[in-house]
Amino acid sequence: MQMNVSQLLKEYIGSTRNYNVDEVVEFSDDNDIRVQGGIRLTRTDKGILTQGKLHTEIELTCSRCLSPFSCPLILNIEEEYFPTMDVLTGASLPTPEESGSFTINEHHIIDLTEAIRQYIMLVMPMKPLCDKGCAGLCPTCGHDLNQGPCDCQPQTDPRWAKLSALASANNDASADS
Ligand SMILES: [Zn+2]
Ligand SMILES: [Zn+2]
């Protein structure tokens, strides 16, 4: 996901550009994801600030039922990119002191791909769930309980539990009289 900022680098601090994003990004080997949203670039005193909200979906495996599912993610990007070459003179610039800083390459291109990968890692759920109410797998037979109960143990519907408790209480009362 590349944006040429050679013009913006020549402009005054505070100048902006808005980009609509709708691109396929390689998240990892054999895992391309579509990223959509908007990015605003702002000229800062040191470089270019990128800000924006991007939407994507990644394929995850549910930690309860082990089914693959598509997990929507929102990436709130805010990163400053520092030039490695002076846009006016072509002279190389010292690399930014802070290691791991994002840089604008010698062709004055900002590539958001690595930032997108890092933001996805940040917001990706540690214990992905296909649904908040995922019933998971039966610990005995491995049956996917989202598909209905298995034969391992009698399944009591919680709505009936109260009724049967009442019924047995009534039976007890009539036995006493
Ligand atoms: Zn699940
Ligand atoms: Zn079972």
Side-chain angles (χ1 to χ4, degrees):
M1 183 174 299
Q2 301 190 329
M3 291 171 281
N4 190 312
V5 293
S6 57
Q7 276 308 311
L8 189 56
L9 282 169
K10 293 174 192 159
E11 293 177 18
Y12 295 108
I13 291 168
S15 300
T16 59
R17 291 277 192 291
N18 291 310
Y19 285 84
N20 287 321
V21 174
D22 186 354
E23 282 190 50
V24 173
V25 170
E26 189 187 303
F27 173 55
S28 57
D29 294 342
D30 306 326
N31 195 355
D32 289 343
I33 53 164
R34 186 172 179 196
V35 179
Q36 293 172 292
I39 288 285
R40 164 173 283 208
L41 306 183
T42 305
R43 176 72 164 113
T44 63
D45 56 341
K46 293 200 189 71
I48 304 282
L49 180 66
T50 63
Q51 290 168 299
K53 195 182 211 182
L54 301 178
H55 299 257
T56 189
E57 288 195 348
I58 56 169
E59 285 293 316
L60 291 176
T61 302
C62 176
S63 59
R64 277 191 206 152
C65 71
L66 309 181
S67 316
F69 71 102
S70 187
C71 178
L73 297 177
I74 294 174
L75 314 176
N76 287 304
I77 306 273
E78 182 165 324
E79 287 296 334
E80 192 168 13
Y81 283 70
F82 301 99
T84 51
M85 183 185 276
D86 189 300
V87 71
L88 296 175
T89 65
S92 292
L93 295 172
T95 47
E97 302 110 54
E98 210 183 311
S99 66
S101 297
F102 290 109
T103 52
I104 305 166
N105 76 8
E106 67 274 22
H107 306 293
H108 315 297
I109 302 272
I110 282 180
D111 189 345
L112 277 182
T113 309
E114 183 52 34
I116 288 170
R117 284 196 196 111
Q118 292 187 12
Y119 276 77
I120 289 175
M121 299 303 287
L122 277 177
V123 297
M124 212 160 67
M126 299 280 282
K127 283 192 173 175
L129 290 178
C130 63
D131 184 276
K132 276 207 297 273
C134 173
L137 303 179
C138 169
T140 310
C141 72
H143 173 78
D144 184 351
L145 297 173
N146 295 309
Q147 320 271 350
C150 58
D151 300 326
C152 291
Q153 56 207 11
Q155 302 275 328
T156 316
D157 188 321
R159 285 169 296 183
W160 292 111
K162 257 189 185 163
L163 278 178
S164 53
L166 272 176
S168 56
N170 280 340
N171 286 344
D172 291 344
S174 50
D176 284 348
S177 58

